[in-house]
Every structure is written in C-alpha cells, then in structure tokens.
Amino acid sequence: MTLKQRFNSLQPDAFFVDAAAPYALTAYLVQRGWIARTSRIASIDRAGEGNMNLVLRVALDDGTTFILKQSRPWAEKYPSVAAPAERADVEAEYYRHTASEPAIAMRSPRLLQADSDSHILMLEDLGHGTDLSGLYRPNATLDRNTLMALMDYLVALHSTFRKPGCGFVIENHAMRALNAEHIFRLPFTTNTGFDLDAITPGLTAVAATCRDDSALLARIQTLEHRYLATGDTLLHGDFFPGSVLLTASGIKVIDPEFCFFGDAEFDVGVLLAHLTLAAQPQPLIQQGLAHYIEAVTGSAPCSADLCWRYAGIEILRRLLGLAQLPLTLDLDAKRVLVQTARTWLLRG
C-alpha cells in the first residue's frame, strides 16, 4: 500500500498533497480560493526537514511563493509512527491567537489560509533561512543577542497568554500523549527495538543506570504528570534549535504543533537542555535564564528548579531516546551529560 492509499483509507474525504502532482494541487488551491484561477504552479520544493509534517515551498508563475504544510496520520519522516493528524489545526490555532501580540507575530510566519478538513496550512514564506541546528556542531557558539531574543519570545508568550485573562485554552491532548511517551517513557524502557550502541558504543549501559534508579524514575513520573496536566500558560511546546529559523529579518519561531497550556518552565527547560547539549558556555546559559526570570517576575512566576528538572529530562530523552540529535559527542561526554541531567532531575 502506498502512502497515498494509506492516507485515503484513513481520511477518505481529505485532499492528499503530492509534490509530484502539481495539476491536482493547483486545482485544490483554486477550488479553495487560495490562488487565482489563472495562476499556475511554477515549482514545488521541500522546505526543511519535515520530521513531523510534509512542508513544501510552492512558487507560482507570477513569482508569489508560500509554504504549504500538511499533517498526516503519521510522522512524515517515520511513516510507521502514528501521529494525530489534527496537529496542523492546533498550529493554526496558535498562530491565530498569538497574532495579537506584536512581539510574537514579528517572530512568526503569517497564517494565510487553513483547511481543517485536510489539515493543510498555507503559511508565509520566510525565505531560505537556516535553523539553529548548527549549534550542535563542535565550537559553534550562540550569539548573546540571539539568545536574549529567544528568551524575549518566551517572555512575551508566557506573560501575555495566561488563563484566565487570555480567554482561551489549547489542550492538545493527543500530541501531548505522543510527546510524553517519547520524553518520559521510551528512553527508560527495554526492548524498544532501538539500539543505542549503534549510535554510541556503550550507551546502552549508560541508559541502564537510569532505568535502575528508582528515585530518578519516580521524579520522572512526577514530571510526566505535570506535563500531562493542563496548566495556566500557553507554551510553544517544542522550543529547541530546530524550531528557530535565522532569516534576513531576524529569528523566526516555527512549528508550534506541540503547543498547549502547561508549565512555562517546560519551554524554558527544553531550551536550557539544548544549549547544554550544544556545549554553550554555562555563564551564557545562566544569563539567559536570569533574563527570563527577571522579565516575567510579577506576571508569570517561574521556578528555576523546575526549569532545570525539565532540562534534565529533555537531555535524557535526546541522548537515550528515539529523537536523536546531530551530536558529535563520544561516550564519555554523553555519560557526563546523563549524570548532569540526573542531578538536575533529583535536585533541581
């Protein structure tokens, strides 16, 4: 069965976006009223890695370009992994609500159109920027101004969109359940079919030290319960270097499909974890956290201990779980990071 056949069997009334079928796509866009009847597609190219979704850059014959994004009932890069198809609709909801806050809108692509029946978004084309994944390369350093811009994005998000004042809530239970499995469970489960030693010889034994630590597993379970509970603050939900683009007009934050109302510390902790995994200077990381805490004081109270606990679980998830990063670390470096993460989880 092809992916299109599988899609049609699961969502018979939805349109399947196929980059190899420009005429069908043109007809769909015209029928939706998203492009003029006289428009023609000049080119269709992949836009980014697209781990979770199909993401295409579409150029029309008049020079107009836009991003077309479809979420399917599986992860785009791993079709065997089921995923909630409605995640694009949640992303659209995030953009609609946050467009009212200039500090967020200026860092986000504009939502141009959305089709909830087929889970398709038309987004502003931000150009051929690169994401921040280059930070994982040896000796790469994050500019202080960029870090502060990232923290200011979180400050604006967490301070502005809080219950009950913001007047809405995003639950996103299905995506949270999927994420919780990969963050809090699979890295500490045996017989997953995922060979850690194929990534770094000896890493399986390091993972076993976590699985055998009852106090650590209890703390992880407590964090999972917090993550799955609905909190009072809107989160991006996946605030890591892959969700940040460097463009000609500055940084842009993308892919908020994991967004939900929860602990603000989760977003902050994820960022702290990735800065640590990317071997950024600890004084710089501490400056970023201090900047955030000072800025939200009085509007969105923040626990530094909880930030570091979430950072700890994100480090373990990225080193011992399926969502691996392009790291160039040897076993000793990973062992040190695992021990650091365990300390943060247990002590904050």
Side-chain angles (χ1 to χ4, degrees):
M1 179 183 291
T2 66
L3 285 181
K4 184 175 182 179
Q5 290 170 332
R6 180 180 166 196
F7 179 91
N8 290 336
S9 70
L10 294 170
Q11 297 183 306
D13 298 324
F15 177 77
F16 180 82
V17 177
D18 186 352
Y23 295 109
L25 181 57
T26 299
Y28 166 81
L29 295 171
V30 168
Q31 186 272 328
R32 295 291 304 183
W34 292 4
I35 64 173
R37 291 188 176 276
T38 55
S39 295
R40 296 292 180 268
I41 292 177
S43 64
I44 305 175
D45 301 295
R46 289 272 179 172
E49 291 294 324
N51 288 341
M52 285 298 295
N53 308 298
L54 176 71
V55 186
L56 302 174
R57 175 175 285 106
V58 180
L60 302 181
D61 53 0
D62 65 358
T64 301
T65 64
F66 54 85
I67 299 298
L68 209 62
K69 185 172 189 176
Q70 182 173 41
S71 57
R72 297 166 174 178
W74 57 77
E76 193 67 21
K77 190 174 181 179
Y78 309 101
S80 62
V81 178
E86 66 274 13
R87 59 191 180 274
D89 311 328
V90 175
E91 179 169 342
E93 189 176 359
Y94 180 95
Y95 288 135
R96 290 190 188 103
H97 285 298
T98 59
S100 64
E101 170 51 54
I104 302 299
M106 69 178 289
R107 301 291 189 194
S108 305
R110 286 184 296 117
L111 176 65
L112 304 177
Q113 301 286 352
D115 174 6
S116 59
D117 293 328
S118 298
H119 312 302
I120 297 172
L121 306 182
M122 177 191 276
L123 299 168
E124 174 190 8
D125 183 5
L126 299 173
H128 292 272
T130 58
D131 66 30
L132 282 181
S133 296
L135 281 178
Y136 303 120
R137 293 195 295 265
N139 302 317
T141 303
L142 182 64
D143 177 77
R144 183 182 183 279
N145 290 337
T146 301
L147 174 58
M148 295 308 166
L150 292 173
M151 288 302 185
D152 285 340
Y153 178 96
L154 290 182
V155 169
L157 180 67
H158 298 162
S159 299
T160 305
F161 301 101
R162 291 174 57 81
K163 295 192 303 183
C166 65
F168 70 96
V169 65
I170 297 176
E171 300 280 3
N172 209 3
H173 288 303
M175 285 294 278
R176 261 194 287 171
L178 174 66
N179 217 23
E181 183 177 6
H182 284 269
I183 296 172
F184 302 101
R185 299 176 208 163
L186 287 178
F188 315 103
T189 304
T190 57
N191 302 320
T192 61
F194 185 58
D195 185 6
L196 289 172
D197 284 345
I199 298 170
T200 305
L203 193 55
T204 297
V206 174
T209 64
C210 294
R211 290 196 301 269
D212 296 338
D213 188 334
S214 58
L216 178 68
L217 295 181
R219 179 54 58 86
I220 290 171
Q221 187 177 56
T222 298
L223 272 186
E224 181 182 6
H225 290 159
R226 291 193 67 112
Y227 175 82
L228 291 173
T230 299
D232 59 4
T233 305
L234 177 61
L235 311 186
H236 176 277
D238 195 22
F239 203 70
F240 83 117
S243 295
V244 181
L245 292 181
L246 294 174
T247 74
S249 57
I251 66 163
K252 304 289 183 179
V253 179
I254 60 173
D255 296 341
E257 64 216 25
F258 284 99
C259 69
F260 67 101
F261 273 71
D263 290 332
E265 290 87 350
F266 179 78
D267 270 349
V268 179
V270 168
L271 180 58
L272 297 178
H274 285 268
L275 294 175
T276 302
L277 287 164
Q280 297 304 294
Q282 272 299 314
L284 178 65
I285 298 174
Q286 292 285 357
Q287 285 177 32
L289 177 58
H291 177 83
Y292 172 87
I293 291 176
E294 181 179 2
V296 299
T297 298
S299 60
C302 176
S303 164
D305 282 351
L306 188 55
C307 289
W308 289 113
R309 289 192 173 102
Y310 278 126
I313 191 61
E314 177 69 7
I315 286 176
L316 294 184
R317 170 257 186 117
R318 292 295 187 168
L319 293 179
L320 309 179
L322 277 65
Q324 292 286 311
L325 299 168
L327 302 174
T328 58
L329 305 174
D330 61 17
L331 181 63
D332 287 340
K334 290 186 176 182
R335 185 184 288 114
V336 169
L337 282 168
V338 166
Q339 186 54 50
T340 298
R342 291 172 66 173
T343 299
W344 290 350
L345 276 160
L346 291 169
R347 302 178 189 173

